[in-house]
Amino acid sequence: MRGLFISVEGPDGSGKSTQVENIKKFFEDRGMEVVLSREPGGTVIGERIRSIILDKDLKEMDPMTEAMLYAASRAQHVAQVIAPAIEEGKVVVCDRFVDSSLAYQGFGRGLGDAVAVINSYAVKGNMPDLTFLMKIDPETGIHRIERSRAEQDRLEQEKMAFHRRVYEGFLELEKEHPDRIVGIDASLPMDRIRDLIFAKLEELLG
């Protein structure tokens, strides 16, 4: 029996990690085996690529290089973790997936449709059954990150105009894929967010 693939997206500081853990518990409480992962990363190769992508000392990185590194990490992640787990009937819960590339590199970096083309090879048709988009104003999200600027990674250190473009990209993706992407107001209390997400997961399980 085919498993399920759930992704959680949104700006930095939107509370994704908390909800990823809640989703994991939702399925485990129902006796389902869950594979928790993240992007970029999720594999040994992917984590090494992640360290390059987020290195704040690599400010000269070209946008297309960035996009291809994300896609390379994703290709390994899909091949080694996501596709096998789904085939084995497990539930994969991932902190970010391809929508992040479409928002950050497609909209934020202005690479447009090229990002979708690159990632079509990386995902090999393995798209989430359901994606939760944690919606919060990017300024609020950045302020939530409890790290000094010196401790922030390369993307977190980008100017606010970049983060606004990324957020607009996420909102556009939500409009384009209403059957898959569920927008959640990330400014709501955490327990309310959890309840909204659980209700959608109950619908998914039927």
Side-chain angles (χ1 to χ4, degrees):
M1 188 175 182
R2 182 185 181 277
L4 291 170
F5 182 14
I6 311 295
S7 64
V8 182
E9 298 280 5
D12 291 319
S14 60
K16 292 190 294 13
S17 299
T18 298
Q19 298 311 322
V20 163
E21 290 294 336
N22 284 337
I23 294 168
K24 177 175 180 285
K25 186 175 187 304
F26 172 91
F27 286 110
E28 287 181 339
D29 286 348
R30 287 154 180 77
M32 304 172 77
E33 188 172 353
V34 179
V35 174
L36 205 62
S37 199
R38 69 172 183 176
E39 289 208 345
T43 66
V44 172
I45 292 172
E47 291 295 331
R48 291 188 183 182
I49 295 173
R50 178 188 180 93
S51 68
I52 295 171
I53 292 171
L54 301 182
D55 190 337
K56 62 179 178 291
D57 294 327
L58 301 179
K59 297 189 187 325
E60 72 275 17
M61 187 179 296
D62 182 79
M64 186 57 74
T65 300
E66 181 181 274
M68 288 185 169
L69 285 172
Y70 273 108
S73 173
R74 183 164 297 120
Q76 186 66 28
H77 193 201
V78 168
Q80 188 177 343
V81 176
I82 296 174
I86 294 172
E87 185 69 24
E88 292 167 8
K90 300 174 184 177
V91 178
V92 177
V93 182
C94 194
D95 186 340
R96 297 196 183 282
F97 194 58
V98 69
D99 294 303
S100 276
S101 283
L102 297 173
Y104 277 83
Q105 284 74 55
F107 286 84
R109 301 296 190 202
L111 294 180
D113 293 341
V115 179
V117 173
I118 294 167
N119 280 277
S120 67
Y121 294 99
V123 303
K124 296 179 180 177
N126 292 278
M127 287 296 289
D129 296 288
L130 193 61
T131 296
F132 292 104
L133 172 60
M134 305 298 289
K135 297 164 69 172
I136 194 167
D137 183 82
E139 285 90 344
T140 304
I142 290 296
H143 287 312
R144 279 185 176 183
I145 300 172
E146 297 179 353
R147 290 192 296 277
S148 67
R149 182 168 177 79
E151 296 173 316
Q152 292 175 1
D153 65 42
R154 190 174 63 84
L155 270 73
E156 289 170 345
Q157 289 184 348
E158 283 287 348
K159 295 178 179 178
M160 189 52 63
F162 170 78
H163 292 288
R164 290 195 193 98
R165 291 195 300 273
V166 170
Y167 187 52
E168 289 168 4
F170 276 127
L171 297 180
E172 185 62 31
L173 290 169
E174 180 188 12
K175 292 177 185 177
E176 291 177 7
H177 305 283
D179 55 329
R180 175 175 64 85
I181 300 178
V182 177
I184 301 288
D185 182 353
S187 68
L188 293 171
M190 286 294 182
D191 58 348
R192 176 60 179 150
I193 294 172
R194 179 201 60 209
D195 292 346
L196 288 170
I197 288 175
F198 282 11
K200 286 295 181 182
L201 294 176
E202 291 283 7
E203 285 181 22
L204 181 64
L205 291 180

